Amino acid sequence: MADAGPGDAGPGAGPGAARTRRGRPRDAEVDRRILAAAGETIAAHGYAGLSVDAVAERAGVAKTTLYRRWPTKARLVADLVSRMQDEVPLTETGDVVGDLTRLTAGIAGSLTAAGAPLVADLTASMAHDPDFGETMRARWAQWRRAAVELLGRAAERGVLSPGFDPEVVVDQLAGPLYYRLLFTGDPLTAEYAAALVDAALGAHLRPEGPTSHAR
Amino acid sequence: MADAGPGDAGPGAGPGAARTRRGRPRDAEVDRRILAAAGETIAAHGYAGLSVDAVAERAGVAKTTLYRRWPTKARLVADLVSRMQDEVPLTETGDVVGDLTRLTAGIAGSLTAAGAPLVADLTASMAHDPDFGETMRARWAQWRRAAVELLGRAAERGVLSPGFDPEVVVDQLAGPLYYRLLFTGDPLTAEYAAALVDAALGAHLRPEGPTSHAR
Amino acid sequence: MADAGPGDAGPGAGPGAARTRRGRPRDAEVDRRILAAAGETIAAHGYAGLSVDAVAERAGVAKTTLYRRWPTKARLVADLVSRMQDEVPLTETGDVVGDLTRLTAGIAGSLTAAGAPLVADLTASMAHDPDFGETMRARWAQWRRAAVELLGRAAERGVLSPGFDPEVVVDQLAGPLYYRLLFTGDPLTAEYAAALVDAALGAHLRPEGPTSHAR
Amino acid sequence: MADAGPGDAGPGAGPGAARTRRGRPRDAEVDRRILAAAGETIAAHGYAGLSVDAVAERAGVAKTTLYRRWPTKARLVADLVSRMQDEVPLTETGDVVGDLTRLTAGIAGSLTAAGAPLVADLTASMAHDPDFGETMRARWAQWRRAAVELLGRAAERGVLSPGFDPEVVVDQLAGPLYYRLLFTGDPLTAEYAAALVDAALGAHLRPEGPTSHAR
DNA sequence: TTATAAACGAGACGGTACGTCGCGTCTTATT
DNA sequence: AATAAGACGCGACGTACCGTCTCGTTTATAA
């Protein structure tokens, strides 16, 4: 299975084993410079204006060096995006509605920050490169599991009535965000995030919980 | 809104006006051949593997001829996709749950048929090519409006309790489908479609309507 | 068989047949501009400084256009050289020594003008591309035949004693020039050309002809 | 003049001095493996298809190791070629015609064995890479000098009449061989070699020497 | 009937970017 | 020190598509 970051590293990364790889080690600084350059170039000239040559030049790096890490422009972008995604928080305070709203709004924010072109390219890379797709899906699955378990614990505490499918709920929180970003183009506001949570949980919230969540 | 079919028809494509233009008339057969060729090529090599030259050759048509009808590769594809979309039924029988389930399952089916790569590539194209994105979004808006209105009429009939946001409901039906297709890779079954409708409508269904909808 | 100039023209050039080729015809001006640009670039930056991109830019032409005519940088250069070669004169005044000296000096001059890198590249192209090699060899064979016949007529006139191999003589005139250009790097002066003729014909010249030829 | 073998040996490679240098001594085996690998690669893929990386890998040697011995790919090849060249015999029996015929036939044989593509590529490399050209020219000059001196001694012995330019003679022996190989494609037979010697020396041979040399 | 207008096939053209190849230098750890 | 391994900068190569253009050819209406 391929990892998401600068790849092709070959053997190693094995746990425990202090494998000193032979040859000149890769310059970690270079990775950073390239990703930064890519981000800046996108910010400056938009996604369409993103050429590998430009990124390499801006990073002060040879194109070859870039291609040694990412086999494709698409993969570079995918990596860039996935790093942004990792910053979404998943806190658990006991207030289900609050937690989920925070989470949903967090996703919304990071999606907005990344921008549709990047996310779209990410999906394309995942669809075309099975290895990469697997890697990314695994990452998401992890996140998903956490969210599902959060809902499960809430149900156990009696905050939510039983008989609902937590996976469907999660999908109905995250799905619309991606849908809007990629297909309708509507803005992903905090209000929208709240509305999603409201609609997804409304039927299952016990009286003691507030039906409407103002934010 | 962008026009749907082969465009650039010039003045007065109106049906009533028997405006017989001078010169050789366009060959309607050509339109069909091009769309067919595009469809086959996309099916065979995915969206990314779709080149205008290839389509033209496969259709046995000169590139000029193709560009006379669609100003851009993106527009051609948009046209193609929208024709597929038109096949998803939006029937209104009075049974909201049934109608929506049919609709959702229809989308699920057509997404599954299209396949993740195609849809993913589509999002990428939309994101990279603003023109194309606009065109496609317009198509979706149209479909969306119809679905929203259907929900509105159900509310007026009293089948649904007021105080829900129809747009959110629609997003929570369609969104998860795209989300699963592109990101989690889970299958889009009819059961899943039913579960989505159930969860999205559950809180708002009036007693006389069945809360649970089997299959 | 491939012709030496801008190729890939496909059918046509057939004798007599007024084949009107379909599609937009190639712009002959472009051929000229590219060859000129190549020549100038070589003159300006030396052979090592000759890049296809530079030539294309200087010619005000897209790289694609260049590659449509010459499949390779090497072939472009080869073509360039072979055109220079065509300008060597083969006159017949009756004075064998004079004619051959003129011819030899002519070759020497055109080789010097072309320069070792170009000629060397020509040989490489000929060696690698059999088709092209054949074409060029045929061209040379034609020239060679003319020279051999000139010697034959001189022998018939009694200016040269019989019993010599005209082909060997021709080789001993042309061969050393190429040899010096490509391998030793010695200059190809008019004196050297004269010395070659002297040495090659010396044994066969009849008394009435001058043994030594001053030029 | 450039050095012949693996260079950069540092101070005092003199045989007498028992200078045991500190550190690990160079592995002589490595030299052999590299040269062998280079030779095989050239034989297999031609000169143009010879990459330093490929040679190093084939020799089971690090590129660094290779570059420690030869500063440049060109120098490596030069070394390799010069070793082949050393096999062409330059014997001096007193029979000028015989010696030269043997020599000329020897060159013809080794050229035929090398093949036009290799020699052509060699000329191209010499022309493009001044460094390399200089190195190779130096080697040829050495060989040339020997041949010229052989002729000089023959003249001193009175076997050849004075008043001929030995350099021109040498050129008229070697030149036509290269010329035929690279440009006309005619075969380089022993008969042809003999004819060349005959024609080049014919005018200058004293009566006591045989004018015609059979086979 | 003959002009005229447009569609059509074919392919050249300018442009932009891509991903690859090879050279020679460098930086590590190992022998 | 020499060696193995491999990262790195650099420069060029040849390719792929896009959308535009310029031809010659065909097919319909209009004069």
Side-chain angles (χ1 to χ4, degrees):
Chain A
M1 189 170 85
D3 62 350
D8 276 33
R19 278 274 294 92
T20 2
R21 288 211 294 279
R22 321 235 316 196
R24 176 175 176 178
R26 289 209 183 150
D27 187 344
E29 173 66 12
V30 163
D31 293 60
R32 266 219 3 261
R33 284 219 307 271
I34 294 176
L35 285 170
E40 293 162 16
T41 307
I42 276 185
H45 302 81
Y47 181 91
L50 179 73
S51 79
V52 174
D53 292 77
V55 170
E57 186 176 7
R58 178 163 205 148
V61 148
K63 233 199 326 182
T64 337
T65 300
L66 192 157
Y67 274 106
R68 194 173 294 113
R69 287 139 209 268
W70 295 276
T72 274
K73 173 180 159 181
R75 285 296 286 275
L76 167 60
V77 173
D79 193 13
L80 191 65
V81 178
S82 82
R83 277 159 204 261
M84 293 178 175
Q85 224 92 35
D86 282 349
E87 295 160 10
V88 176
L90 181 60
T91 55
E92 184 163 6
T93 64
D95 169 19
V96 210
V97 174
D99 287 345
L100 287 184
T101 306
R102 224 177 343 270
L103 173 63
T104 309
I107 299 176
S110 98
L111 284 182
T112 301
L118 264 58
V119 177
D121 225 51
L122 179 66
T123 68
S125 290
M126 289 172 61
H128 289 314
D129 183 337
D131 253 24
F132 179 61
E134 206 44 58
T135 310
M136 295 304 293
R137 263 189 280 281
R139 207 179 270 202
W140 262 291
Q142 196 177 336
W143 171 91
R144 227 170 120 76
R145 205 174 314 126
V148 166
E149 284 166 4
L150 187 150
L151 279 171
R153 280 189 292 275
E156 283 174 12
R157 283 203 312 276
V159 184
L160 295 175
S161 63
F164 73 100
D165 186 337
E167 298 215 344
V168 167
V169 170
V170 172
D171 286 357
Q172 285 183 328
L173 292 181
L177 295 175
Y178 288 91
Y179 178 62
R180 283 205 156 190
L181 180 73
L182 297 178
F183 295 95
T184 74
D186 293 318
L188 307 179
T189 62
E191 286 75 30
Y192 183 63
L196 284 174
V197 175
D198 234 36
L201 291 188
H204 309 294
L205 276 178
R206 284 294 171 79
E208 60 268 38
T211 297
S212 182
H213 177 84
R215 161 125 314 275
Chain B
M1 190 169 93
D3 59 347
D8 273 34
R19 279 272 290 88
T20 20
R21 287 208 304 274
R22 308 213 338 180
R24 177 174 174 177
R26 287 205 185 155
D27 187 345
E29 171 66 11
V30 163
D31 293 60
R32 255 212 26 252
R33 284 219 308 271
I34 294 176
L35 285 169
E40 292 161 17
T41 307
I42 263 187
H45 305 87
Y47 179 89
L50 179 74
S51 79
V52 174
D53 292 75
V55 170
E57 186 177 8
R58 178 163 205 149
V61 146
K63 245 200 316 181
T64 333
T65 302
L66 191 156
Y67 274 105
R68 194 173 294 113
R69 286 140 212 267
W70 294 275
T72 272
K73 170 181 160 181
R75 295 295 277 271
L76 166 60
V77 174
D79 195 9
L80 189 66
V81 173
S82 83
R83 278 159 205 256
M84 292 178 175
Q85 211 114 48
D86 287 350
E87 295 163 11
V88 174
L90 183 59
T91 55
E92 187 160 4
T93 64
D95 169 17
V96 209
V97 174
D99 287 347
L100 286 184
T101 305
R102 223 175 347 265
L103 172 63
T104 308
I107 299 176
S110 92
L111 283 182
T112 300
L118 181 52
V119 177
D121 281 336
L122 185 67
T123 67
S125 289
M126 287 173 60
H128 297 169
D129 181 342
D131 243 32
F132 179 52
E134 208 42 59
T135 310
M136 294 306 292
R137 264 187 280 283
R139 291 205 200 303
W140 262 291
Q142 193 178 343
W143 172 90
R144 225 171 123 73
R145 207 172 312 128
V148 165
E149 284 166 5
L150 185 149
L151 279 172
R153 280 189 293 274
E156 283 174 13
R157 283 202 313 276
V159 184
L160 295 175
S161 63
F164 73 100
D165 186 338
E167 299 215 342
V168 168
V169 170
V170 171
D171 287 356
Q172 285 184 326
L173 292 181
L177 295 175
Y178 289 92
Y179 178 62
R180 283 204 155 190
L181 180 73
L182 297 179
F183 294 95
T184 74
D186 294 317
L188 307 180
T189 62
E191 286 76 27
Y192 183 63
L196 285 175
V197 174
D198 232 35
L201 252 43
H204 308 294
L205 278 177
R206 282 294 171 77
E208 57 269 37
T211 296
S212 180
H213 176 86
R215 211 94 332 141
Chain C
M1 188 169 86
D3 62 351
D8 277 34
R19 279 273 294 93
T20 359
R21 289 210 294 279
R22 322 231 318 194
R24 176 175 174 177
R26 290 212 182 148
D27 187 345
E29 172 66 12
V30 163
D31 292 59
R32 265 218 5 261
R33 284 218 306 272
I34 294 176
L35 285 169
E40 291 161 16
T41 306
I42 276 184
H45 302 80
Y47 183 91
L50 180 73
S51 78
V52 174
D53 292 76
V55 170
E57 185 175 9
R58 178 163 205 148
V61 148
K63 233 198 328 180
T64 337
T65 300
L66 192 157
Y67 274 106
R68 194 173 295 112
R69 286 139 208 269
W70 295 275
T72 273
K73 173 179 159 183
R75 285 296 287 276
L76 167 60
V77 173
D79 193 13
L80 191 65
V81 178
S82 82
R83 276 157 206 262
M84 293 177 174
Q85 223 93 35
D86 283 349
E87 296 160 11
V88 176
L90 182 60
T91 55
E92 186 162 5
T93 64
D95 170 19
V96 208
V97 173
D99 286 346
L100 286 184
T101 305
R102 220 173 353 264
L103 172 63
T104 309
I107 299 176
S110 98
L111 285 182
T112 300
L118 265 58
V119 177
D121 225 50
L122 178 65
T123 68
S125 289
M126 288 173 62
H128 288 315
D129 183 337
D131 253 24
F132 179 62
E134 207 44 58
T135 311
M136 295 304 293
R137 265 188 279 281
R139 208 181 269 201
W140 261 291
Q142 194 177 339
W143 172 90
R144 228 171 119 76
R145 206 173 314 125
V148 166
E149 284 167 5
L150 185 150
L151 279 171
R153 281 190 293 274
E156 283 173 14
R157 283 203 313 275
V159 184
L160 295 175
S161 63
F164 72 100
D165 185 339
E167 298 215 343
V168 168
V169 169
V170 171
D171 286 357
Q172 285 183 328
L173 292 181
L177 295 175
Y178 288 91
Y179 177 62
R180 283 205 154 189
L181 180 73
L182 297 179
F183 294 94
T184 75
D186 293 317
L188 308 180
T189 62
E191 286 76 29
Y192 183 63
L196 285 174
V197 174
D198 234 37
L201 290 188
H204 309 293
L205 278 177
R206 284 294 171 77
E208 59 267 35
T211 296
S212 181
H213 177 85
R215 161 120 314 276
Chain D
M1 189 172 94
D3 58 348
D8 273 33
R19 281 270 291 89
T20 15
R21 288 209 301 275
R22 308 208 341 180
R24 175 172 173 179
R26 286 205 187 158
D27 186 347
E29 171 67 11
V30 163
D31 293 61
R32 253 213 27 253
R33 284 219 308 272
I34 294 176
L35 284 168
E40 293 161 18
T41 308
I42 263 189
H45 304 87
Y47 179 89
L50 178 75
S51 80
V52 174
D53 292 76
V55 170
E57 186 177 8
R58 179 164 204 149
V61 146
K63 245 200 316 181
T64 332
T65 304
L66 192 156
Y67 273 105
R68 194 172 294 112
R69 286 139 211 267
W70 294 275
T72 273
K73 170 182 161 181
R75 295 293 277 272
L76 167 60
V77 174
D79 194 10
L80 188 68
V81 172
S82 84
R83 278 158 205 257
M84 292 176 176
Q85 211 114 47
D86 286 349
E87 295 162 12
V88 174
L90 183 58
T91 55
E92 187 160 4
T93 64
D95 169 18
V96 210
V97 173
D99 287 347
L100 286 185
T101 305
R102 221 173 350 267
L103 172 63
T104 308
I107 299 176
S110 92
L111 283 182
T112 300
L118 180 51
V119 177
D121 282 335
L122 187 67
T123 67
S125 291
M126 287 173 61
H128 297 170
D129 180 343
D131 242 32
F132 180 52
E134 206 43 57
T135 310
M136 295 304 294
R137 265 187 281 281
R139 294 208 197 300
W140 262 292
Q142 195 178 340
W143 172 90
R144 225 171 123 75
R145 206 172 315 126
V148 165
E149 284 166 5
L150 186 151
L151 279 172
R153 281 190 293 275
E156 281 174 15
R157 283 202 313 276
V159 184
L160 295 175
S161 63
F164 73 99
D165 186 337
E167 298 216 344
V168 167
V169 170
V170 172
D171 286 357
Q172 285 184 327
L173 292 181
L177 295 175
Y178 289 91
Y179 177 62
R180 282 205 156 189
L181 180 72
L182 297 178
F183 293 94
T184 74
D186 293 318
L188 307 180
T189 62
E191 286 78 27
Y192 183 64
L196 285 174
V197 174
D198 233 36
L201 251 44
H204 309 294
L205 279 177
R206 284 293 173 76
E208 58 269 38
T211 295
S212 180
H213 176 85
R215 213 91 334 144

